Amino acid sequence: MTRLLAEGVGWAVDGRFVLVDVELALQPATLTVLTGENGAGKSSLLEILAGTRTPARGAVKLDGVPLPEIAPAHLARRIARLDHAPGLYLELSALENVRLFHALLHPGTAVLDAAALLTDVGLASRDHMRPVRGFSRGMLQRTALARVLASGADVWLLDEPSTGLDRAGCALLADVLQRVRAQGATILLATHDPALLPLADRRLHLDHGHLQPAQVA
Amino acid sequence: MTRLLAEGVGWAVDGRFVLVDVELALQPATLTVLTGENGAGKSSLLEILAGTRTPARGAVKLDGVPLPEIAPAHLARRIARLDHAPGLYLELSALENVRLFHALLHPGTAVLDAAALLTDVGLASRDHMRPVRGFSRGMLQRTALARVLASGADVWLLDEPSTGLDRAGCALLADVLQRVRAQGATILLATHDPALLPLADRRLHLDHGHLQPAQVA
Amino acid sequence: MLLRLTWLLLQKDLRVAARSREVFGFMLLFALLCVVVFAFGFLREGEAAAAQVPGVLWVTLLFSGTVGLLRLFAAEEEGGTLVLAERTLAGATPLLLSKALMQLLFSGVTTLLLLPVVLVFFDASLAQPVLVLAALALGLVGQAMLGALVAALLVHVRLREVLLPLVLYPLLAPLVIAGVRITVLTQAGAPAEALEGWLALMLGFDALVLVTAPWLHARVVEL
Amino acid sequence: MLLRLTWLLLQKDLRVAARSREVFGFMLLFALLCVVVFAFGFLREGEAAAAQVPGVLWVTLLFSGTVGLLRLFAAEEEGGTLVLAERTLAGATPLLLSKALMQLLFSGVTTLLLLPVVLVFFDASLAQPVLVLAALALGLVGQAMLGALVAALLVHVRLREVLLPLVLYPLLAPLVIAGVRITVLTQAGAPAEALEGWLALMLGFDALVLVTAPWLHARVVEL
Amino acid sequence: MAKIASPRPTGFLALLSVATLLVLAALYCVAFVARPDVTLGIVQKIFYFHVSSAIAMMLCLSCGSMLSLIDLFAPSDRIDALAHSAIETGLAFALMVLTSGPLWARKSWGAWWTWEPRLTLTLMLLLLAAAVLGIRSMAADGTGRKIAAALASLAAPVAYLIHVAVEKWGGTHPMVLKGGGIQSPGMQLTFRVAMLAILLFAATLWTLRFRVLRLEQRLHALRLELSAQDVRKQRPGAPT
Ligand code: HEM
Ligand SMILES: Nc1ncnc2c1ncn2[C@@H]1O[C@H](COP(=O)(O)OP(=O)(O)OP(=O)(O)O)[C@@H](O)[C@H]1O
Ligand SMILES: Nc1ncnc2c1ncn2[C@@H]1O[C@H](COP(=O)(O)OP(=O)(O)OP(=O)(O)O)[C@@H](O)[C@H]1O
Ligand SMILES: [Mg+2]
Ligand SMILES: [Mg+2]
């Protein structure tokens, strides 16, 4: 059963197409790695799949339902995004951020053990309580990863998730991804980082709006 | 002869020291790679070395002269920085950006062949003339690299310069670095990217504010 | 659910505001400054200062409110959390409501502190304080809701510092006209009945805005 | 050298402004809006509108100028080019000068377009146009330079939307007071000599600002 | 795939010619049928165009507002172009009112402008329409259209409230039509002809802008299609 499906997706900027006729089917419990040259359109494709950008053509379907027909509230619970912006309130601490975003998506459920999540992504407990404004790039990225984890979504769309992470951070990221996949999540990640390639169940290469199986390097 | 020298540099945030007694001497025509865990203080150290952050203790000297005694104008011609922000005017095109920053540092000199520089860093000529606001992450990073090249500085302080670059981009970066080093530049780059390690003449690892030669992985 | 999520977001905004502490103080200072500038600019010798109170009061609230509105989504933009906050389990409405409440809180406190100051400066007194306060409350509610809507719509538009007042002031015209008229009339000792029409106008405006704003916001934001 | 680099940076600003085209138009619209709001707030029936011209004119320029100042360093912040632009071969002064010139250009054009509109709207005429224009010019120069300085110093300060007017208005008080007085006096048909003192005050203010601003800026910015 | 050939604009040409004829007729009536006003003299003749422009402005802007609301409900390029061109036409007539009004005011009130409520309302509407059009052109592709549509749909009810406030406030601006009406038959005839002419003129402008916008949309679609083929050609394995 296909979880996320892109049918004939096209996207244009200034009257010029970046993506044309993109066809993509993502299954549950798989991790797909998307590669492509700089400017190939990976980030744009992820945004379209997440429903935060409207494609000029074609449609994206989640479990067979076109995205525009799904309530945004429901969508947010299903699809998690990690991109270049950290998606955190800089004035709040890591703990407060994770708790807030969890509560927005799952109000009234049991309180989440946010501290455990943060420790999971390798954030020292000393850093849990201070505003993330002062965080280093890698620390921000880790916190953002914890936010995604807290969302409990089952479709993960990650744009260069290993940016700024040190070697230990990359290993943690790989762990997390494998764990989530084992729980049935559909993961699509765009990256240039060769360290993440071995995780892939499937590798796709984006070239002029055309998706093809990547040659194994 | 030492070109850039850090003597007993310390830097504190919120009453907690991040860097203590950092001693560092960088020679001309060498490329030093700085590694360290997330939050170790690499970015902070680079800013201090560039003179855009004042250390709490110790001093940084360029050719034996403490940074605060050097005219900022002169400093900008000598030291080039590349960090997380692209350092580009988003409304201007790549070409205009590179020309502008060159002209600010070298007014009245022969006009620079900015297009050649941009082609050097792998930016298709179609993208030379449009505002960089619409650029993808990797394209921005390439343009920023061209800006640094145009500055003609002989000390390069780069913070994770391969961020967002695809494989071809990384190769171009390595080329550029080797070329500049051969021309006598002093290069210090902080990175987590293993692809850049082989370039290093010397590897340093920052651990709890302490610089030590890195173990070869 | 809607209320709970609104409360969550409002709490967050309050916390952010408390961390970057000075906001409240500055907004008030700005309002005071407006009063002083207007006094300089529009008072002439030999004229009763009290007559200027309605204008000064309402225009100051309009201007200082705008300053608050320009900062309303600052935290969302900086960290790139806007899309996340728009997609709560109850849709985008909690975000809009929390922002409107935040703005109301700010402008309410500013007004309460400003009012006595203006009265003292301009040597005036309120003939029918309850009516004026009611008018102020209606005005601030309308401004907060409409302002939050416009601010939310313009978040991603460049030049929004200029566009926000440009769009907002004409839209708020009925409230300002009515507010000024009410204040003038009470000062002139008009009977309460004379004011009813104006108050009804403000009430109608607020009702319109409170009902349509969340709907329009959702239509625009939720693609 | 200084001039050449200033010109380079100014050229860049003009190009950026031209790309995000509508700036000029919106600034003017905002100024118009201020006029309308003030007219609403401060005009009462049976009163000669012309008497309000000095206040409306100067306060509008003060407010609409602030809007321009808030955007002055927007391009630098967005792309993280501030440090780069501060470190030209002639130090940070070209940046400050280019920004002040940019602001002067904007506010100058706004004023030239606004002045006839205000005169028509308020049914007034300038008794001694040359003197008033001189006062306006002096006022705008001072505002541009001081405004650019304050904007530059506050770039990295959070809440600068609030702080900028807060710091700037009191500093500009001498200019605004003098400007309003000059305009009032010319309207009242005062002889040119009566204005000399005020013009001298403005001139002195401008001289002070023009000399000290670049120096202060360099001290603060160049560590 | 968008239609390439544009249908011959016969309807539009007919509209254009009727409007032109009527405007000419109106000019004739204004010049020769209606006699100059006793007190105001020749300036009074502005009346015919001033009032009908004001009504055309109101009509266009309220249509624009309503159409924007519909576009929010059920987005379609057609409705969007219709709404957009309505607001543009409304803006043009607002400018006309704001030119003819002061010309008249100078003569009858002795001042170009007064801070009279109705005049102020007109100015506000003008600013609002300009801002909406500006936002539409400024914001990135799809969002600008939606933001502008939302603001435009708010504008009409708010403008109505302003109108109410203005009526309550009272002022010096005349209310001939709701009051006694026009007495002289010559003036009445002229007024009717001028009103019809201006309304048709507005319809012509509106249609013209609408057609241009539609053509622009179509052109855009064609450009896109070209670019799509371009991209397909560059793909690996594509025939060169
Ligand atoms: C100065 C700028 C002026 C503006 C902006 C202006 C605006 C307007 C507007 C918007 C209307 C349509 C009102 C409605 O249908 O609700 C209107 C109608 C009218 N205007 Fe003006 N006006 C101006 C000056 C004048 C002057 C000076 C006169 C004559 C002394 C005048 C006479 C009229 C008349 C007779 C109508 C028809 C109103 C009716 O019968 O309901 N206007 N004007
Ligand atoms: N908002 C925009 N305005 C203009 N052009 C855009 C915009 N968004 C994307 N593009 C263009 O579309 C192309 C694809 O951009 P995208 O960011 O999707 O690339 P990418 O594959 O993520 O590249 P990278 O590996 O560098 O991150 C680029 O040429 C970019 O310039
Ligand atoms: N402005 C600041 N305010 C508060 N803390 C700061 C600030 N700048 C740096 N720090 C703290 O100093 C430490 C070092 O930060 P820095 O950015 O230098 O690390 P880094 O080595 O570059 O890490 P990364 O590999 O993640 O980029 C971190 O703990 C960070 O939180
Ligand atoms: Mg990308
Ligand atoms: Mg770092």
Side-chain angles (χ1 to χ4, degrees):
Chain A
M1 209 218 80
T2 302
R3 184 163 282 161
L4 196 65
L5 183 72
E7 287 176 328
V9 162
W11 190 71
V13 172
D14 299 335
R16 201 173 62 79
F17 266 101
V18 175
L19 299 172
V20 189
D21 311 329
V22 174
E23 305 281 342
L24 177 66
L26 299 175
Q27 316 302 333
T30 57
L31 193 161
T32 311
V33 169
L34 179 64
T35 55
E37 285 181 6
N38 286 144
K42 303 178 295 298
S43 302
S44 309
L45 181 58
L46 288 182
E47 282 199 38
I48 290 171
L49 292 175
T52 49
R53 209 183 265 194
T54 324
R57 297 189 182 173
V60 177
K61 292 179 179 167
L62 179 65
D63 291 333
V65 187
L67 290 191
E69 289 171 23
I70 305 178
H74 186 64
L75 212 57
R77 263 181 139 167
R78 296 291 310 279
I79 302 185
R81 283 267 295 140
L82 179 60
D83 67 9
H84 303 337
L88 301 169
Y89 286 99
L90 300 188
E91 235 57 64
L92 300 186
S93 71
L95 216 51
E96 287 167 332
N97 266 297
V98 170
R99 286 212 187 108
L100 172 68
F101 287 112
H102 179 258
L104 286 179
L105 294 179
H106 307 277
T109 58
V111 182
L112 167 95
D113 189 354
L117 265 182
L118 288 172
T119 312
D120 264 12
V121 297
L123 211 64
S125 56
R126 187 186 54 203
D127 294 324
H128 289 187
M129 310 281 282
R130 67 189 179 108
V132 302
R133 181 180 292 284
F135 276 19
S136 79
R137 184 182 224 177
M139 290 158 73
L140 272 180
Q141 187 74 7
R142 285 162 189 249
T143 315
L145 186 62
R147 163 177 65 68
V148 174
L149 260 173
S151 76
D154 59 356
V155 178
W156 284 37
L157 302 173
L158 312 176
D159 200 357
E160 308 190 30
S162 63
T163 304
L165 293 182
D166 57 16
R167 209 166 301 173
C170 276
L172 280 171
L173 172 67
D175 272 3
V176 167
L177 292 179
Q178 277 166 324
R179 189 143 41 90
V180 181
R181 170 176 58 185
Q183 288 162 9
T186 303
I187 307 177
L188 176 65
L189 66 86
T191 193
H192 303 293
D193 188 349
L196 293 179
L197 294 181
L199 295 176
D201 298 310
R202 189 173 155 214
R203 289 195 215 164
L204 295 172
H205 190 81
L206 188 61
D207 189 4
H208 291 96
H210 191 60
L211 273 178
Q212 53 188 134
Q215 293 88 338
V216 177
Chain B
M1 210 217 84
T2 303
R3 184 163 284 160
L4 196 65
L5 183 71
E7 286 177 328
V9 162
W11 192 70
V13 172
D14 299 335
R16 201 173 59 80
F17 267 98
V18 175
L19 299 173
V20 192
D21 307 330
V22 174
E23 305 281 341
L24 178 66
L26 299 175
Q27 316 303 331
T30 58
L31 193 162
T32 312
V33 169
L34 179 65
T35 56
E37 285 182 6
N38 286 144
K42 302 180 292 300
S43 302
S44 310
L45 181 56
L46 287 183
E47 282 199 37
I48 291 171
L49 291 176
T52 49
R53 209 183 268 192
T54 324
R57 298 191 185 167
V60 178
K61 293 179 179 168
L62 178 66
D63 289 335
V65 187
L67 290 191
E69 289 170 22
I70 305 178
H74 187 64
L75 212 56
R77 261 179 142 169
R78 296 292 309 279
I79 302 186
R81 284 267 293 141
L82 180 60
D83 68 8
H84 303 337
L88 301 168
Y89 285 99
L90 301 188
E91 232 59 63
L92 299 186
S93 70
L95 216 50
E96 287 167 333
N97 266 297
V98 170
R99 286 213 187 107
L100 173 68
F101 287 112
H102 179 259
L104 286 181
L105 295 179
H106 307 277
T109 59
V111 182
L112 167 96
D113 189 355
L117 263 184
L118 288 172
T119 312
D120 264 10
V121 297
L123 211 64
S125 57
R126 188 186 55 203
D127 294 323
H128 289 189
M129 312 279 283
R130 68 188 177 106
V132 302
R133 180 180 293 284
F135 275 18
S136 79
R137 185 182 225 179
M139 289 158 75
L140 272 180
Q141 188 73 8
R142 285 163 188 247
T143 314
L145 185 61
R147 163 178 64 70
V148 173
L149 259 172
S151 76
D154 60 356
V155 178
W156 284 37
L157 302 173
L158 312 176
D159 201 355
E160 309 191 32
S162 64
T163 304
L165 294 181
D166 57 16
R167 209 164 300 174
C170 276
L172 280 173
L173 173 66
D175 272 3
V176 167
L177 292 180
Q178 278 165 321
R179 190 143 41 90
V180 181
R181 173 176 54 185
Q183 288 161 9
T186 304
I187 307 176
L188 176 66
L189 67 85
T191 193
H192 303 293
D193 188 348
L196 294 179
L197 293 183
L199 295 177
D201 299 308
R202 187 172 156 214
R203 290 195 213 164
L204 294 173
H205 190 81
L206 189 61
D207 190 5
H208 294 95
H210 192 65
L211 269 182
Q212 52 189 125
Q215 294 87 340
V216 176
Chain C
M1 169 77 101
L2 183 69
L3 290 184
R4 177 189 215 132
L5 291 174
T6 305
W7 171 233
L8 258 175
L9 286 169
L10 183 62
Q11 222 178 354
K12 176 265 300 170
D13 275 340
L14 289 172
R15 212 175 273 165
V16 169
R19 302 255 159 104
S20 45
R21 255 161 300 156
E22 301 82 349
V23 200
F24 259 115
F26 285 133
M27 192 148 163
L28 184 68
L29 276 180
F30 181 75
L32 273 178
L33 214 60
C34 281
V35 172
V36 175
V37 169
F38 294 152
F40 263 128
F42 300 112
L43 274 190
R44 264 144 308 122
E45 282 114 83
E47 190 185 279
Q52 293 289 14
V53 166
V56 168
L57 193 61
W58 285 90
V59 174
T60 299
L61 290 178
L62 187 67
F63 276 73
S64 68
T66 311
V67 170
L69 288 172
L70 284 175
R71 301 253 352 140
L72 210 50
F73 286 87
E76 272 73 20
E77 272 181 285
E78 234 190 352
T81 47
L82 189 62
V83 177
L84 297 170
E86 275 170 6
R87 300 189 150 198
T88 70
L89 203 58
T93 307
L95 181 64
L96 185 71
L97 289 183
S98 70
K99 291 296 177 187
L101 285 173
M102 194 69 193
Q103 171 69 13
L104 189 60
L105 193 70
F106 272 127
S107 58
V109 172
T110 307
T111 309
L112 285 183
L113 294 173
L114 191 70
L115 194 54
V117 175
V118 169
L119 291 180
V120 167
F121 270 13
F122 287 78
D123 191 27
S125 63
L126 292 181
Q128 308 181 45
V130 179
L131 280 176
V132 173
L133 283 178
L136 283 173
L138 287 173
L140 293 184
V141 167
Q143 186 190 29
M145 195 69 202
L146 197 57
L149 173 69
V150 175
L153 295 182
L154 294 184
V155 178
H156 286 310
V157 179
R158 266 175 299 152
L159 294 185
R160 71 167 177 299
E161 288 93 339
V162 195
L163 282 171
L164 185 115
L166 208 56
V167 173
L168 198 58
Y169 293 176
L171 287 179
L172 287 177
L175 282 185
V176 177
I177 297 178
V180 171
R181 294 308 300 167
I182 290 178
T183 322
V184 168
L185 288 173
T186 54
Q187 276 199 322
E193 300 83 63
L195 307 176
E196 271 170 15
W198 290 111
L199 280 173
L201 180 74
M202 293 183 92
L203 215 60
F205 184 96
D206 282 3
L208 174 76
V209 168
L210 286 177
V211 170
T212 52
W215 184 81
L216 285 175
H217 181 243
R219 296 288 326 163
V220 173
V221 153
E222 297 177 358
L223 291 182
Chain D
M1 167 81 98
L2 183 68
L3 290 183
R4 178 189 215 132
L5 291 174
T6 305
W7 170 235
L8 259 175
L9 286 170
L10 183 63
Q11 220 180 358
K12 176 266 300 171
D13 274 339
L14 288 172
R15 212 176 272 165
V16 170
R19 302 259 157 101
S20 44
R21 251 162 304 154
E22 298 82 349
V23 200
F24 259 117
F26 284 129
M27 190 146 164
L28 184 67
L29 279 180
F30 181 75
L32 263 181
L33 211 62
C34 282
V35 174
V36 175
V37 168
F38 294 151
F40 257 129
F42 301 111
L43 275 188
R44 264 144 308 122
E45 282 114 82
E47 189 184 284
Q52 294 288 13
V53 165
V56 168
L57 193 62
W58 285 90
V59 174
T60 299
L61 291 179
L62 187 67
F63 276 73
S64 70
T66 311
V67 171
L69 288 172
L70 284 175
R71 302 256 346 144
L72 210 51
F73 286 87
E76 271 75 19
E77 274 181 282
E78 236 190 351
T81 47
L82 188 63
V83 177
L84 297 170
E86 276 169 5
R87 301 188 150 200
T88 68
L89 203 58
T93 308
L95 181 65
L96 186 71
L97 289 183
S98 71
K99 292 296 177 185
L101 285 172
M102 194 69 193
Q103 172 69 13
L104 189 61
L105 192 70
F106 271 127
S107 58
V109 172
T110 308
T111 308
L112 285 183
L113 294 173
L114 192 71
L115 193 56
V117 175
V118 169
L119 291 180
V120 167
F121 272 7
F122 286 81
D123 191 29
S125 62
L126 291 182
Q128 308 180 42
V130 179
L131 280 176
V132 173
L133 283 178
L136 282 173
L138 286 174
L140 293 183
V141 168
Q143 185 190 29
M145 195 68 204
L146 199 56
L149 174 68
V150 175
L153 297 183
L154 292 182
V155 177
H156 285 310
V157 178
R158 267 176 296 153
L159 294 181
R160 71 166 176 301
E161 288 92 339
V162 196
L163 279 173
L164 185 113
L166 213 55
V167 174
L168 196 58
Y169 293 177
L171 288 177
L172 287 178
L175 281 185
V176 176
I177 297 177
V180 171
R181 292 311 302 168
I182 290 176
T183 323
V184 167
L185 287 174
T186 54
Q187 276 198 321
E193 300 84 63
L195 306 177
E196 270 169 17
W198 290 110
L199 280 173
L201 176 71
M202 294 183 90
L203 213 61
F205 185 95
D206 281 3
L208 179 73
V209 168
L210 287 177
V211 171
T212 53
W215 183 81
L216 282 175
H217 181 244
R219 296 290 323 163
V220 172
V221 152
E222 297 176 359
L223 291 181
Chain E
M1 179 69 224
K3 240 191 307 173
I4 296 174
S6 147
R8 258 174 301 142
T10 31
F12 174 71
L13 285 179
L15 187 60
L16 181 62
S17 7
V18 174
T20 315
L21 285 179
L22 263 174
V23 170
L24 290 176
L27 282 174
Y28 174 83
C29 287
V30 168
F32 300 112
V33 177
R35 278 170 311 141
D37 189 270
V38 196
T39 47
L40 290 173
I42 199 106
V43 230
Q44 190 268 343
K45 289 176 187 273
I46 292 178
F47 164 81
Y48 304 106
F49 291 107
H50 172 75
V51 179
S52 32
S53 297
I55 289 173
M57 165 190 88
M58 298 286 189
L59 281 178
C60 286
L61 289 181
S62 24
C63 282
S65 178
M66 259 159 6
L67 287 164
S68 297
L69 191 65
I70 296 175
D71 187 48
L72 268 185
F73 245 121
S76 97
D77 283 353
R78 217 188 146 74
I79 302 286
D80 172 58
L82 215 49
H84 188 186
S85 46
I87 297 174
E88 283 178 336
T89 313
L91 188 63
F93 280 94
L95 282 173
M96 226 130 101
V97 176
L98 281 171
T99 326
S100 60
L103 283 177
W104 193 359
R106 179 77 186 146
K107 190 73 189 172
S108 72
W109 297 339
W112 294 106
W113 184 268
T114 67
W115 290 103
E116 203 273 344
R118 173 157 301 151
L119 314 196
T120 313
L121 160 69
T122 314
L123 194 57
M124 290 273 181
L125 279 180
L126 178 95
L127 290 176
L128 207 52
V132 164
L133 291 180
I135 286 172
R136 213 196 117 93
S137 73
M138 291 226 5
D141 308 272
T143 50
R145 168 174 157 186
K146 281 189 166 175
I147 297 170
L151 291 176
S153 23
L154 256 185
V158 171
Y160 175 74
L161 285 179
I162 302 181
H163 179 78
V164 171
V166 158
E167 301 249 283
K168 280 179 68 69
W169 194 338
T172 41
H173 193 277
M175 303 235 301
V176 182
L177 303 184
K178 272 194 202 150
I182 306 169
Q183 303 303 333
S184 140
M187 283 167 120
Q188 218 163 58
L189 173 71
T190 308
F191 179 67
R192 291 207 176 119
V193 175
M195 176 72 99
L196 199 62
I198 290 289
L199 286 184
L200 269 181
F201 181 48
T204 314
L205 264 187
W206 185 358
T207 322
L208 181 65
R209 272 307 291 163
F210 172 68
R211 293 181 64 87
V212 169
L213 286 176
R214 288 296 282 168
L215 283 176
E216 274 173 11
Q217 285 174 354
R218 209 173 285 170
L219 187 66
H220 187 71
L222 286 173
R223 280 233 185 84
L224 271 185
E225 187 48 44
L226 266 181
S227 133
Q229 278 161 15
D230 222 40
V231 174
R232 287 188 192 112
K233 261 188 236 147
Q234 292 171 18
R235 279 180 182 157
T240 39

